[in-house]
Amino acid sequence: MPTRIIAVANQKGGVGKTTTAVNLSACIAAAGQRVLMVDLDPQANATSGLGVEKVPGASSYGPILGEGGMLDKVRPTAWERLEIIPSELDLCGADVEIARMENHLARVKTVLQPVLDCGRFDLVLVDCPPSLGILTLNAFVAAEGLLVPLQCEYFALEGVTMLKTIVEQLRNSGMNPGLGFLGIAMTMYDARTNLSRSVVEEVRAHFGEFVFETMIPRTTRIAEAPSHGKPVIYHDPYNAGSSAYEVLAQEVMQRLGLVSSA
């Protein structure tokens, strides 16, 4: 089976995007798949969230600009079957530099091709910046699907509508005709509030089967795990947040046709 590549994206910050990318990558790796996390966010939160040090020159910045290869940037994490191409501050200037280059929206797709061809990974997850800049659009052009973490708030719905428009534009322009939504993951869900329940109902009414059944609860353990450099399943495996991400990982693998072996 060819390596699958999924972009984890939401242009609105604070919705659990990176938290979802980190925890899904860990849960899918724990389920037996070989996972590569590509941290394209200059804030490098996915990098620190997986316990990897931010080192100058370690990111994908050089390869994207034509200097070196992406496979040379792959680093191990503390967990089996989970590796990362880290981020660091040099990616802050990538949008400006890439904009000057030929075929600027396909730079990430081009440099990721050897990674897909090498046979080392079953799944590549790309953590996008919380914006719709050139790095994010590059991730969309490279990916076969988008996984959108969506906070249980009303403004969230507007953001998904914008993403849907961009997906249609990239498909219609021929930049990525096969791009679509893998799914929408509802995050920071609080079953005690009418707000959370009503937002979930509205999102399901608009996007139907695209919305994953599993909802990620708002828990202290999920919030504090990054400060320990660990996914929540390794920080507190018996927490409700850990269980939710494990179930969500099973849903994601089912949609991708990946079989759990653990």
Side-chain angles (χ1 to χ4, degrees), residues 17 31 54 70 79 91 103 130 145 158 167 177 189 191 202 222 237:
K17 172 187 62 66
K54 303 170 189 176
M70 287 286 260
W79 301 284
L91 274 176
N103 206 14
E158 296 177 4
V167 167
Y189 178 74
E202 190 166 345
I222 290 177

Side-chain angles (χ1 to χ4, degrees), residues 38-108:
V38 178
D39 190 354
L40 273 189
D41 187 345
Q43 297 177 82
N45 290 333
T47 298
S48 57
L50 287 175
V52 176
E53 187 180 356
K54 303 170 189 176
V55 178
S59 77
S60 55
Y61 180 70
I64 290 171
L65 297 185
E67 302 166 5
M70 287 286 260
L71 277 171
D72 296 330
K73 302 296 184 179
V74 176
R75 298 289 181 268
T77 70
W79 301 284
E80 191 177 0
R81 294 182 298 274
L82 178 55
E83 298 181 80
I84 186 171
I85 296 177
S87 176
E88 41 108 7
L89 281 175
D90 62 4
L91 274 176
C92 287
D95 273 4
V96 175
E97 296 291 337
I98 295 170
R100 300 171 179 159
M101 304 184 75
E102 186 178 349
N103 206 14
H104 64 281
L105 288 183
R107 298 300 304 174
V108 170

